[in-house]
Amino acid sequence: MTSGRRPLIADSSLALLAKGYTWLPDRRRRTTAPLVRTRLMGQPAVALHGPEAVRFFYDERHVERRSALPGPVLSTLFGHGAVHTLDGADHRVRKELFLSLLTGAEAVAGLVDRVAAAWDEAVESWSGRRVVLFDETSRVLTRGVCQWAGIVVEDVGPLARDLVAMVDGFATPGPRHWRARRARARCETWLGRLVEDVRTGTATAPAGSVLEGVVRHRDADGRLLDPHTAAVELLNVIRPTVAVCWFVTYAGHALRLRPDLRDRLTGDDPAHAVAFAHELRRFYPFAPFVGGRAVTDLEWRGEPIPAGTLVLLDLYGQNHDPALWARPYAFEPRRFLERPPEGDELIPQGGGDRTTGHRCPGEDVTIALLRALVPRLARLEYEVPDQDLRIPLNRMPTRVRSGFVMDAVRSPA
Ligand code: HEM
Ligand code: MYR
């Protein structure tokens, strides 16, 4: 398509709001072009998908993040000044902080042990009661991740609600969005003060903790993070960890649909739990797409992408692309037992190389948490009362409407 025709394409921000996760895949099915051309937030945009497109998108010579993420997304989900918004050396040095805190067997096990202990303790209090899995898991994860990160929290309930709100409200205007902004402002103020207190010696950060790592981190310019940016990055560890409650709730949904999968999960073979975790991340909708801006005039499979164009990578669409996945709309963990996932095919948390690009540094943590929690859920006995188990694809981010209510929960001895 020539650039002269682009202004004729209507802005699709409203279509995105109305259609949600199906917006880009639908547009792709309706075109024979190798990319979708659209407009978003008043700007020309293209959307790509597929493993080769992943490599093209994550090449810093092609796409940068600076100025690409919309203000409303930063004021809720990621935070202004976050690692998500950096490029080049600034990004690599900040990313190293996250990788050092979140990857490696010891770091992952430290977090998982605390979350698993918090789950086991919580389950005792669920006995015989009606509980909402989403809410309970958000508190379990908040307790575990804060303990692990060296952040003291007396009452995890309000914090869990704020962390969930930041994720829940990033993409839609209205009350959910304002709740998310207020939640972020509250948490940034609290954590910014904590960082200052650690620096003045009125609070302590446990040796080797996330809190200590962030307080001491020096950026590419050799400077410590200012308290606000430090708070933003602390939140970029604890918020997404708590967001794993989306997938644990989806696990409840999946086990309801496929009770035949339960026995294998409760057995001793961890390969089943890992395959189940991958299928949860592939099948269920969470992150819709990621985006950046074309650094220079680009070309993708013969199609021009002028400098400055928003370039989107359709994560949800790629995870359901029939060219990559047999029966993409069937929940089938076995597919990952037969063949482990390729890094640029399964991209629920972004793609490419996590050390050089923006791929999520929390993938190992996410998989390890699901590997620990989903078999624990599968081992519980509970009833599933009548409730709204729909997952509306036009809500962004979506979730199981009821939060997955469980009755008469019992932990078999
Ligand atoms: C980046 C999704 C869990 C920390 C991302 C990105 C996505 C994503 C889509 C952006 C990739 C890109 O920009 O190309 C998810 C999902 C999760 C999850 C769906 C499941 C709940 C985690 C966890 C952590 C984490 C557990 C840390 C404990 C981060 C950070 C970035 C990031 C710091 C920014 C990386 C960068 O810009 O270089 N994640 N994530 N995420 N994620 Fe996650
Ligand atoms: C987290 O809390 O970080 C985990 C949930 C991540 C959802 C990621 C959604 C990415 C949205 C990017 C919008 C880009 C628009 C150009």
Side-chain angles (χ1 to χ4, degrees), residues 58 95 240 244 247 277-278 280-282 286-287 290 313 315-316 319 343 346-352 354 358-368 370:
Y58 281 98
K95 187 68 177 275
V244 172
F247 285 129
H278 287 321
L280 284 173
R281 299 186 311 128
R282 183 198 72 80
F286 196 9
V290 287
L313 182 69
L315 306 183
Y316 179 80
N319 287 337
L346 179 67
I347 54 165
Q349 294 173 238
R354 70 183 180 191
H358 284 269
R359 188 183 193 118
C360 178
E363 255 184 315
D364 292 358
V365 161
T366 305
I367 295 162
L370 292 172

PDB file of all heavy atoms in Angstrom, residues 58 95 240 244 247 277-278 280-282 286-287 290 313 315-316 319 343 346-352 354 358-368 370:
ATOM      1  N   TYR A  58      12.417  -7.339  17.167  1.00  0.00           N
ATOM      2  CA  TYR A  58      13.307  -7.186  18.321  1.00  0.00           C
ATOM      3  C   TYR A  58      14.720  -6.740  17.932  1.00  0.00           C
ATOM      4  O   TYR A  58      15.592  -6.671  18.791  1.00  0.00           O
ATOM      5  CB  TYR A  58      13.338  -8.465  19.164  1.00  0.00           C
ATOM      6  CG  TYR A  58      12.111  -8.581  20.052  1.00  0.00           C
ATOM      7  CD1 TYR A  58      11.022  -9.359  19.682  1.00  0.00           C
ATOM      8  CD2 TYR A  58      12.020  -7.858  21.245  1.00  0.00           C
ATOM      9  CE1 TYR A  58       9.891  -9.440  20.478  1.00  0.00           C
ATOM     10  CE2 TYR A  58      10.892  -7.936  22.044  1.00  0.00           C
ATOM     11  CZ  TYR A  58       9.826  -8.727  21.658  1.00  0.00           C
ATOM     12  OH  TYR A  58       8.709  -8.793  22.449  1.00  0.00           O
ATOM     13  N   LYS A  95      18.457  -3.538  32.178  1.00  0.00           N
ATOM     14  CA  LYS A  95      17.946  -4.904  32.020  1.00  0.00           C
ATOM     15  C   LYS A  95      18.787  -5.890  32.826  1.00  0.00           C
ATOM     16  O   LYS A  95      18.258  -6.855  33.396  1.00  0.00           O
ATOM     17  CB  LYS A  95      17.956  -5.282  30.531  1.00  0.00           C
ATOM     18  CG  LYS A  95      17.298  -6.624  30.188  1.00  0.00           C
ATOM     19  CD  LYS A  95      15.806  -6.579  30.424  1.00  0.00           C
ATOM     20  CE  LYS A  95      15.052  -7.810  30.048  1.00  0.00           C
ATOM     21  NZ  LYS A  95      14.666  -7.906  28.671  1.00  0.00           N
ATOM     22  N   PRO A 240       4.223  -7.710  38.240  1.00  0.00           N
ATOM     23  CA  PRO A 240       4.033  -8.841  37.327  1.00  0.00           C
ATOM     24  C   PRO A 240       4.057 -10.197  38.035  1.00  0.00           C
ATOM     25  O   PRO A 240       3.434 -11.147  37.553  1.00  0.00           O
ATOM     26  CB  PRO A 240       5.175  -8.711  36.319  1.00  0.00           C
ATOM     27  CG  PRO A 240       6.128  -7.733  36.875  1.00  0.00           C
ATOM     28  CD  PRO A 240       5.407  -6.891  37.874  1.00  0.00           C
ATOM     29  N   VAL A 244       0.700 -13.175  37.945  1.00  0.00           N
ATOM     30  CA  VAL A 244       0.634 -14.622  37.664  1.00  0.00           C
ATOM     31  C   VAL A 244      -0.706 -15.192  38.166  1.00  0.00           C
ATOM     32  O   VAL A 244      -1.152 -16.254  37.724  1.00  0.00           O
ATOM     33  CB  VAL A 244       1.881 -15.340  38.265  1.00  0.00           C
ATOM     34  CG1 VAL A 244       1.768 -16.852  38.162  1.00  0.00           C
ATOM     35  CG2 VAL A 244       3.158 -14.858  37.555  1.00  0.00           C
ATOM     36  N   PHE A 247      -2.971 -16.323  35.447  1.00  0.00           N
ATOM     37  CA  PHE A 247      -2.768 -17.665  34.870  1.00  0.00           C
ATOM     38  C   PHE A 247      -3.201 -18.773  35.838  1.00  0.00           C
ATOM     39  O   PHE A 247      -3.657 -19.824  35.406  1.00  0.00           O
ATOM     40  CB  PHE A 247      -1.298 -17.858  34.474  1.00  0.00           C
ATOM     41  CG  PHE A 247      -0.921 -17.116  33.209  1.00  0.00           C
ATOM     42  CD1 PHE A 247       0.197 -16.281  33.177  1.00  0.00           C
ATOM     43  CD2 PHE A 247      -1.669 -17.252  32.043  1.00  0.00           C
ATOM     44  CE1 PHE A 247       0.547 -15.605  32.018  1.00  0.00           C
ATOM     45  CE2 PHE A 247      -1.318 -16.573  30.876  1.00  0.00           C
ATOM     46  CZ  PHE A 247      -0.213 -15.748  30.865  1.00  0.00           C
ATOM     47  N   ALA A 277       1.890 -25.349  32.082  1.00  0.00           N
ATOM     48  CA  ALA A 277       2.190 -23.912  32.239  1.00  0.00           C
ATOM     49  C   ALA A 277       2.366 -23.249  30.874  1.00  0.00           C
ATOM     50  O   ALA A 277       1.853 -22.152  30.627  1.00  0.00           O
ATOM     51  CB  ALA A 277       3.453 -23.736  33.087  1.00  0.00           C
ATOM     52  N   HIS A 278       3.070 -23.914  29.975  1.00  0.00           N
ATOM     53  CA  HIS A 278       3.256 -23.335  28.638  1.00  0.00           C
ATOM     54  C   HIS A 278       1.917 -23.193  27.915  1.00  0.00           C
ATOM     55  O   HIS A 278       1.651 -22.184  27.258  1.00  0.00           O
ATOM     56  CB  HIS A 278       4.186 -24.210  27.790  1.00  0.00           C
ATOM     57  CG  HIS A 278       5.621 -24.118  28.201  1.00  0.00           C
ATOM     58  ND1 HIS A 278       6.220 -22.953  28.585  1.00  0.00           N
ATOM     59  CD2 HIS A 278       6.598 -25.074  28.263  1.00  0.00           C
ATOM     60  CE1 HIS A 278       7.485 -23.179  28.887  1.00  0.00           C
ATOM     61  NE2 HIS A 278       7.747 -24.461  28.708  1.00  0.00           N
ATOM     62  N   LEU A 280      -1.044 -22.913  29.270  1.00  0.00           N
ATOM     63  CA  LEU A 280      -1.808 -21.809  29.886  1.00  0.00           C
ATOM     64  C   LEU A 280      -1.379 -20.492  29.261  1.00  0.00           C
ATOM     65  O   LEU A 280      -2.202 -19.646  28.899  1.00  0.00           O
ATOM     66  CB  LEU A 280      -1.525 -21.726  31.390  1.00  0.00           C
ATOM     67  CG  LEU A 280      -2.171 -22.738  32.326  1.00  0.00           C
ATOM     68  CD1 LEU A 280      -1.599 -22.563  33.739  1.00  0.00           C
ATOM     69  CD2 LEU A 280      -3.695 -22.569  32.361  1.00  0.00           C
ATOM     70  N   ARG A 281      -0.063 -20.307  29.138  1.00  0.00           N
ATOM     71  CA  ARG A 281       0.459 -19.026  28.625  1.00  0.00           C
ATOM     72  C   ARG A 281       0.150 -18.860  27.142  1.00  0.00           C
ATOM     73  O   ARG A 281      -0.021 -17.759  26.657  1.00  0.00           O
ATOM     74  CB  ARG A 281       1.970 -18.943  28.886  1.00  0.00           C
ATOM     75  CG  ARG A 281       2.329 -18.991  30.366  1.00  0.00           C
ATOM     76  CD  ARG A 281       3.820 -18.767  30.623  1.00  0.00           C
ATOM     77  NE  ARG A 281       4.660 -19.586  29.783  1.00  0.00           N
ATOM     78  CZ  ARG A 281       5.663 -19.116  29.037  1.00  0.00           C
ATOM     79  NH1 ARG A 281       5.969 -17.836  29.056  1.00  0.00           N
ATOM     80  NH2 ARG A 281       6.382 -19.926  28.296  1.00  0.00           N
ATOM     81  N   ARG A 282       0.080 -19.970  26.404  1.00  0.00           N
ATOM     82  CA  ARG A 282      -0.229 -19.869  24.976  1.00  0.00           C
ATOM     83  C   ARG A 282      -1.710 -19.635  24.726  1.00  0.00           C
ATOM     84  O   ARG A 282      -2.105 -18.771  23.959  1.00  0.00           O
ATOM     85  CB  ARG A 282       0.177 -21.162  24.238  1.00  0.00           C
ATOM     86  CG  ARG A 282      -0.055 -21.096  22.730  1.00  0.00           C
ATOM     87  CD  ARG A 282      -0.067 -22.471  22.084  1.00  0.00           C
ATOM     88  NE  ARG A 282      -1.257 -23.233  22.394  1.00  0.00           N
ATOM     89  CZ  ARG A 282      -2.448 -23.087  21.792  1.00  0.00           C
ATOM     90  NH1 ARG A 282      -2.599 -22.199  20.836  1.00  0.00           N
ATOM     91  NH2 ARG A 282      -3.488 -23.816  22.168  1.00  0.00           N
ATOM     92  N   PHE A 286      -3.841 -12.836  27.623  1.00  0.00           N
ATOM     93  CA  PHE A 286      -3.363 -11.901  28.649  1.00  0.00           C
ATOM     94  C   PHE A 286      -2.745 -10.690  27.945  1.00  0.00           C
ATOM     95  O   PHE A 286      -3.452  -9.738  27.627  1.00  0.00           O
ATOM     96  CB  PHE A 286      -2.422 -12.607  29.624  1.00  0.00           C
ATOM     97  CG  PHE A 286      -2.207 -11.829  30.903  1.00  0.00           C
ATOM     98  CD1 PHE A 286      -2.961 -10.696  31.196  1.00  0.00           C
ATOM     99  CD2 PHE A 286      -1.259 -12.222  31.828  1.00  0.00           C
ATOM    100  CE1 PHE A 286      -2.776  -9.973  32.368  1.00  0.00           C
ATOM    101  CE2 PHE A 286      -1.061 -11.505  33.012  1.00  0.00           C
ATOM    102  CZ  PHE A 286      -1.818 -10.387  33.269  1.00  0.00           C
ATOM    103  N   ALA A 287      -1.430 -10.698  27.663  1.00  0.00           N
ATOM    104  CA  ALA A 287      -0.842  -9.564  26.944  1.00  0.00           C
ATOM    105  C   ALA A 287      -1.276  -9.653  25.475  1.00  0.00           C
ATOM    106  O   ALA A 287      -1.057 -10.676  24.836  1.00  0.00           O
ATOM    107  CB  ALA A 287       0.675  -9.619  27.052  1.00  0.00           C
ATOM    108  N   VAL A 290       2.683  -6.164  21.754  1.00  0.00           N
ATOM    109  CA  VAL A 290       3.649  -5.169  22.225  1.00  0.00           C
ATOM    110  C   VAL A 290       3.947  -4.238  21.059  1.00  0.00           C
ATOM    111  O   VAL A 290       3.632  -4.565  19.907  1.00  0.00           O
ATOM    112  CB  VAL A 290       4.951  -5.812  22.766  1.00  0.00           C
ATOM    113  CG1 VAL A 290       4.698  -6.467  24.106  1.00  0.00           C
ATOM    114  CG2 VAL A 290       5.529  -6.818  21.781  1.00  0.00           C
ATOM    115  N   LEU A 313       3.619  -6.064  17.530  1.00  0.00           N
ATOM    116  CA  LEU A 313       3.818  -7.501  17.369  1.00  0.00           C
ATOM    117  C   LEU A 313       2.628  -8.174  18.039  1.00  0.00           C
ATOM    118  O   LEU A 313       2.391  -7.996  19.242  1.00  0.00           O
ATOM    119  CB  LEU A 313       5.136  -7.923  18.034  1.00  0.00           C
ATOM    120  CG  LEU A 313       5.481  -9.404  17.905  1.00  0.00           C
ATOM    121  CD1 LEU A 313       5.831  -9.767  16.465  1.00  0.00           C
ATOM    122  CD2 LEU A 313       6.663  -9.746  18.831  1.00  0.00           C
ATOM    123  N   LEU A 315       1.052 -10.642  19.804  1.00  0.00           N
ATOM    124  CA  LEU A 315       1.379 -11.803  20.656  1.00  0.00           C
ATOM    125  C   LEU A 315       0.230 -12.809  20.683  1.00  0.00           C
ATOM    126  O   LEU A 315       0.424 -14.008  20.460  1.00  0.00           O
ATOM    127  CB  LEU A 315       1.671 -11.352  22.097  1.00  0.00           C
ATOM    128  CG  LEU A 315       2.730 -10.270  22.318  1.00  0.00           C
ATOM    129  CD1 LEU A 315       2.922 -10.031  23.817  1.00  0.00           C
ATOM    130  CD2 LEU A 315       4.063 -10.637  21.682  1.00  0.00           C
ATOM    131  N   TYR A 316      -0.975 -12.316  20.965  1.00  0.00           N
ATOM    132  CA  TYR A 316      -2.127 -13.227  21.074  1.00  0.00           C
ATOM    133  C   TYR A 316      -2.388 -13.913  19.735  1.00  0.00           C
ATOM    134  O   TYR A 316      -2.632 -15.119  19.675  1.00  0.00           O
ATOM    135  CB  TYR A 316      -3.366 -12.443  21.541  1.00  0.00           C
ATOM    136  CG  TYR A 316      -4.592 -13.314  21.640  1.00  0.00           C
ATOM    137  CD1 TYR A 316      -4.782 -14.135  22.746  1.00  0.00           C
ATOM    138  CD2 TYR A 316      -5.549 -13.337  20.618  1.00  0.00           C
ATOM    139  CE1 TYR A 316      -5.901 -14.955  22.845  1.00  0.00           C
ATOM    140  CE2 TYR A 316      -6.661 -14.159  20.708  1.00  0.00           C
ATOM    141  CZ  TYR A 316      -6.832 -14.967  21.819  1.00  0.00           C
ATOM    142  OH  TYR A 316      -7.932 -15.781  21.906  1.00  0.00           O
ATOM    143  N   ASN A 319       0.167 -16.603  19.066  1.00  0.00           N
ATOM    144  CA  ASN A 319      -0.013 -17.785  19.923  1.00  0.00           C
ATOM    145  C   ASN A 319      -1.217 -18.627  19.516  1.00  0.00           C
ATOM    146  O   ASN A 319      -1.427 -19.709  20.068  1.00  0.00           O
ATOM    147  CB  ASN A 319      -0.125 -17.363  21.393  1.00  0.00           C
ATOM    148  CG  ASN A 319       1.220 -16.925  21.949  1.00  0.00           C
ATOM    149  OD1 ASN A 319       2.263 -17.310  21.429  1.00  0.00           O
ATOM    150  ND2 ASN A 319       1.203 -16.115  22.979  1.00  0.00           N
ATOM    151  N   GLY A 343      11.630 -20.438  21.196  1.00  0.00           N
ATOM    152  CA  GLY A 343      11.580 -19.102  21.799  1.00  0.00           C
ATOM    153  C   GLY A 343      10.809 -18.063  21.010  1.00  0.00           C
ATOM    154  O   GLY A 343      10.134 -17.208  21.584  1.00  0.00           O
ATOM    155  N   LEU A 346       6.437 -19.330  20.734  1.00  0.00           N
ATOM    156  CA  LEU A 346       5.566 -19.118  21.898  1.00  0.00           C
ATOM    157  C   LEU A 346       5.972 -17.786  22.540  1.00  0.00           C
ATOM    158  O   LEU A 346       7.040 -17.686  23.146  1.00  0.00           O
ATOM    159  CB  LEU A 346       5.749 -20.259  22.902  1.00  0.00           C
ATOM    160  CG  LEU A 346       4.925 -20.150  24.184  1.00  0.00           C
ATOM    161  CD1 LEU A 346       3.440 -20.300  23.910  1.00  0.00           C
ATOM    162  CD2 LEU A 346       5.376 -21.184  25.211  1.00  0.00           C
ATOM    163  N   ILE A 347       5.100 -16.762  22.380  1.00  0.00           N
ATOM    164  CA  ILE A 347       5.550 -15.419  22.805  1.00  0.00           C
ATOM    165  C   ILE A 347       4.534 -14.691  23.707  1.00  0.00           C
ATOM    166  O   ILE A 347       4.300 -13.493  23.520  1.00  0.00           O
ATOM    167  CB  ILE A 347       5.916 -14.548  21.582  1.00  0.00           C
ATOM    168  CG1 ILE A 347       4.753 -14.479  20.579  1.00  0.00           C
ATOM    169  CG2 ILE A 347       7.182 -15.049  20.916  1.00  0.00           C
ATOM    170  CD1 ILE A 347       4.919 -13.357  19.541  1.00  0.00           C
ATOM    171  N   PRO A 348       3.979 -15.379  24.734  1.00  0.00           N
ATOM    172  CA  PRO A 348       3.033 -14.664  25.603  1.00  0.00           C
ATOM    173  C   PRO A 348       3.700 -13.553  26.404  1.00  0.00           C
ATOM    174  O   PRO A 348       3.026 -12.653  26.891  1.00  0.00           O
ATOM    175  CB  PRO A 348       2.533 -15.770  26.547  1.00  0.00           C
ATOM    176  CG  PRO A 348       3.608 -16.799  26.542  1.00  0.00           C
ATOM    177  CD  PRO A 348       4.208 -16.757  25.177  1.00  0.00           C
ATOM    178  N   GLN A 349       5.015 -13.625  26.558  1.00  0.00           N
ATOM    179  CA  GLN A 349       5.736 -12.624  27.343  1.00  0.00           C
ATOM    180  C   GLN A 349       6.797 -11.945  26.469  1.00  0.00           C
ATOM    181  O   GLN A 349       7.850 -11.548  26.949  1.00  0.00           O
ATOM    182  CB  GLN A 349       6.329 -13.289  28.594  1.00  0.00           C
ATOM    183  CG  GLN A 349       5.215 -13.775  29.527  1.00  0.00           C
ATOM    184  CD  GLN A 349       5.672 -14.603  30.718  1.00  0.00           C
ATOM    185  OE1 GLN A 349       5.243 -15.732  30.887  1.00  0.00           O
ATOM    186  NE2 GLN A 349       6.532 -14.054  31.553  1.00  0.00           N
ATOM    187  N   GLY A 350       6.475 -11.805  25.188  1.00  0.00           N
ATOM    188  CA  GLY A 350       7.417 -11.205  24.241  1.00  0.00           C
ATOM    189  C   GLY A 350       8.347 -12.263  23.673  1.00  0.00           C
ATOM    190  O   GLY A 350       8.317 -13.428  24.078  1.00  0.00           O
ATOM    191  N   GLY A 351       9.167 -11.838  22.686  1.00  0.00           N
ATOM    192  CA  GLY A 351      10.052 -12.788  22.022  1.00  0.00           C
ATOM    193  C   GLY A 351      11.463 -12.243  21.912  1.00  0.00           C
ATOM    194  O   GLY A 351      11.816 -11.261  22.553  1.00  0.00           O
ATOM    195  N   GLY A 352      12.283 -12.916  21.099  1.00  0.00           N
ATOM    196  CA  GLY A 352      13.664 -12.485  20.909  1.00  0.00           C
ATOM    197  C   GLY A 352      14.537 -12.915  22.083  1.00  0.00           C
ATOM    198  O   GLY A 352      14.196 -13.836  22.832  1.00  0.00           O
ATOM    199  N   ARG A 354      16.228 -12.322  25.650  1.00  0.00           N
ATOM    200  CA  ARG A 354      15.876 -11.487  26.808  1.00  0.00           C
ATOM    201  C   ARG A 354      17.048 -10.642  27.308  1.00  0.00           C
ATOM    202  O   ARG A 354      16.836  -9.667  28.013  1.00  0.00           O
ATOM    203  CB  ARG A 354      15.317 -12.358  27.933  1.00  0.00           C
ATOM    204  CG  ARG A 354      16.336 -13.253  28.591  1.00  0.00           C
ATOM    205  CD  ARG A 354      15.701 -14.139  29.633  1.00  0.00           C
ATOM    206  NE  ARG A 354      16.710 -14.985  30.253  1.00  0.00           N
ATOM    207  CZ  ARG A 354      16.422 -16.006  31.038  1.00  0.00           C
ATOM    208  NH1 ARG A 354      15.159 -16.312  31.288  1.00  0.00           N
ATOM    209  NH2 ARG A 354      17.387 -16.725  31.574  1.00  0.00           N
ATOM    210  N   HIS A 358      13.768  -6.678  24.679  1.00  0.00           N
ATOM    211  CA  HIS A 358      12.792  -6.393  25.747  1.00  0.00           C
ATOM    212  C   HIS A 358      12.017  -7.621  26.202  1.00  0.00           C
ATOM    213  O   HIS A 358      11.072  -7.479  26.967  1.00  0.00           O
ATOM    214  CB  HIS A 358      11.824  -5.303  25.290  1.00  0.00           C
ATOM    215  CG  HIS A 358      12.437  -3.939  25.317  1.00  0.00           C
ATOM    216  ND1 HIS A 358      12.374  -3.113  26.423  1.00  0.00           N
ATOM    217  CD2 HIS A 358      13.152  -3.258  24.384  1.00  0.00           C
ATOM    218  CE1 HIS A 358      13.010  -1.985  26.165  1.00  0.00           C
ATOM    219  NE2 HIS A 358      13.490  -2.039  24.932  1.00  0.00           N
ATOM    220  N   ARG A 359      12.380  -8.799  25.710  1.00  0.00           N
ATOM    221  CA  ARG A 359      11.644  -9.988  26.167  1.00  0.00           C
ATOM    222  C   ARG A 359      11.574 -10.001  27.701  1.00  0.00           C
ATOM    223  O   ARG A 359      12.518  -9.603  28.379  1.00  0.00           O
ATOM    224  CB  ARG A 359      12.351 -11.255  25.680  1.00  0.00           C
ATOM    225  CG  ARG A 359      11.547 -12.508  25.951  1.00  0.00           C
ATOM    226  CD  ARG A 359      12.280 -13.776  25.546  1.00  0.00           C
ATOM    227  NE  ARG A 359      11.330 -14.877  25.550  1.00  0.00           N
ATOM    228  CZ  ARG A 359      10.999 -15.600  24.480  1.00  0.00           C
ATOM    229  NH1 ARG A 359      11.566 -15.374  23.329  1.00  0.00           N
ATOM    230  NH2 ARG A 359      10.099 -16.556  24.568  1.00  0.00           N
ATOM    231  N   CYS A 360      10.451 -10.482  28.206  1.00  0.00           N
ATOM    232  CA  CYS A 360      10.206 -10.491  29.651  1.00  0.00           C
ATOM    233  C   CYS A 360      11.313 -11.247  30.389  1.00  0.00           C
ATOM    234  O   CYS A 360      11.580 -12.408  30.094  1.00  0.00           O
ATOM    235  CB  CYS A 360       8.861 -11.160  29.903  1.00  0.00           C
ATOM    236  SG  CYS A 360       8.429 -11.302  31.647  1.00  0.00           S
ATOM    237  N   PRO A 361      11.932 -10.621  31.407  1.00  0.00           N
ATOM    238  CA  PRO A 361      12.936 -11.336  32.207  1.00  0.00           C
ATOM    239  C   PRO A 361      12.290 -12.231  33.263  1.00  0.00           C
ATOM    240  O   PRO A 361      12.986 -12.929  33.993  1.00  0.00           O
ATOM    241  CB  PRO A 361      13.701 -10.192  32.885  1.00  0.00           C
ATOM    242  CG  PRO A 361      12.686  -9.099  33.013  1.00  0.00           C
ATOM    243  CD  PRO A 361      11.766  -9.216  31.822  1.00  0.00           C
ATOM    244  N   GLY A 362      10.951 -12.194  33.334  1.00  0.00           N
ATOM    245  CA  GLY A 362      10.245 -12.959  34.369  1.00  0.00           C
ATOM    246  C   GLY A 362       9.648 -14.254  33.856  1.00  0.00           C
ATOM    247  O   GLY A 362       8.815 -14.858  34.527  1.00  0.00           O
ATOM    248  N   GLU A 363      10.086 -14.710  32.675  1.00  0.00           N
ATOM    249  CA  GLU A 363       9.487 -15.944  32.136  1.00  0.00           C
ATOM    250  C   GLU A 363       9.823 -17.161  32.994  1.00  0.00           C
ATOM    251  O   GLU A 363       8.955 -17.984  33.271  1.00  0.00           O
ATOM    252  CB  GLU A 363       9.952 -16.170  30.691  1.00  0.00           C
ATOM    253  CG  GLU A 363       8.851 -15.851  29.702  1.00  0.00           C
ATOM    254  CD  GLU A 363       9.233 -16.158  28.269  1.00  0.00           C
ATOM    255  OE1 GLU A 363      10.370 -15.808  27.869  1.00  0.00           O
ATOM    256  OE2 GLU A 363       8.391 -16.730  27.551  1.00  0.00           O
ATOM    257  N   ASP A 364      11.088 -17.267  33.418  1.00  0.00           N
ATOM    258  CA  ASP A 364      11.470 -18.429  34.241  1.00  0.00           C
ATOM    259  C   ASP A 364      10.661 -18.432  35.535  1.00  0.00           C
ATOM    260  O   ASP A 364      10.207 -19.483  35.997  1.00  0.00           O
ATOM    261  CB  ASP A 364      12.963 -18.370  34.609  1.00  0.00           C
ATOM    262  CG  ASP A 364      13.863 -18.555  33.393  1.00  0.00           C
ATOM    263  OD1 ASP A 364      13.327 -18.765  32.295  1.00  0.00           O
ATOM    264  OD2 ASP A 364      15.099 -18.458  33.557  1.00  0.00           O
ATOM    265  N   VAL A 365      10.530 -17.230  36.125  1.00  0.00           N
ATOM    266  CA  VAL A 365       9.773 -17.101  37.368  1.00  0.00           C
ATOM    267  C   VAL A 365       8.313 -17.494  37.136  1.00  0.00           C
ATOM    268  O   VAL A 365       7.718 -18.228  37.939  1.00  0.00           O
ATOM    269  CB  VAL A 365       9.878 -15.639  37.878  1.00  0.00           C
ATOM    270  CG1 VAL A 365       8.773 -15.319  38.862  1.00  0.00           C
ATOM    271  CG2 VAL A 365      11.239 -15.385  38.506  1.00  0.00           C
ATOM    272  N   THR A 366       7.735 -17.020  36.047  1.00  0.00           N
ATOM    273  CA  THR A 366       6.329 -17.320  35.757  1.00  0.00           C
ATOM    274  C   THR A 366       6.128 -18.834  35.631  1.00  0.00           C
ATOM    275  O   THR A 366       5.206 -19.407  36.230  1.00  0.00           O
ATOM    276  CB  THR A 366       5.900 -16.625  34.448  1.00  0.00           C
ATOM    277  OG1 THR A 366       6.181 -15.227  34.569  1.00  0.00           O
ATOM    278  CG2 THR A 366       4.425 -16.826  34.155  1.00  0.00           C
ATOM    279  N   ILE A 367       6.995 -19.473  34.860  1.00  0.00           N
ATOM    280  CA  ILE A 367       6.853 -20.920  34.634  1.00  0.00           C
ATOM    281  C   ILE A 367       7.065 -21.678  35.945  1.00  0.00           C
ATOM    282  O   ILE A 367       6.309 -22.597  36.279  1.00  0.00           O
ATOM    283  CB  ILE A 367       7.836 -21.384  33.534  1.00  0.00           C
ATOM    284  CG1 ILE A 367       7.449 -20.744  32.196  1.00  0.00           C
ATOM    285  CG2 ILE A 367       7.859 -22.913  33.410  1.00  0.00           C
ATOM    286  CD1 ILE A 367       8.538 -20.751  31.143  1.00  0.00           C
ATOM    287  N   ALA A 368       8.072 -21.246  36.720  1.00  0.00           N
ATOM    288  CA  ALA A 368       8.356 -21.945  37.986  1.00  0.00           C
ATOM    289  C   ALA A 368       7.208 -21.755  38.978  1.00  0.00           C
ATOM    290  O   ALA A 368       6.866 -22.685  39.725  1.00  0.00           O
ATOM    291  CB  ALA A 368       9.670 -21.431  38.584  1.00  0.00           C
ATOM    292  N   LEU A 370       4.040 -21.298  38.208  1.00  0.00           N
ATOM    293  CA  LEU A 370       2.913 -22.121  37.742  1.00  0.00           C
ATOM    294  C   LEU A 370       3.196 -23.595  38.003  1.00  0.00           C
ATOM    295  O   LEU A 370       2.315 -24.360  38.399  1.00  0.00           O
ATOM    296  CB  LEU A 370       2.640 -21.856  36.258  1.00  0.00           C
ATOM    297  CG  LEU A 370       2.099 -20.446  35.961  1.00  0.00           C
ATOM    298  CD1 LEU A 370       2.043 -20.183  34.459  1.00  0.00           C
ATOM    299  CD2 LEU A 370       0.715 -20.254  36.582  1.00  0.00           C
TER     300      LEU A 370
END
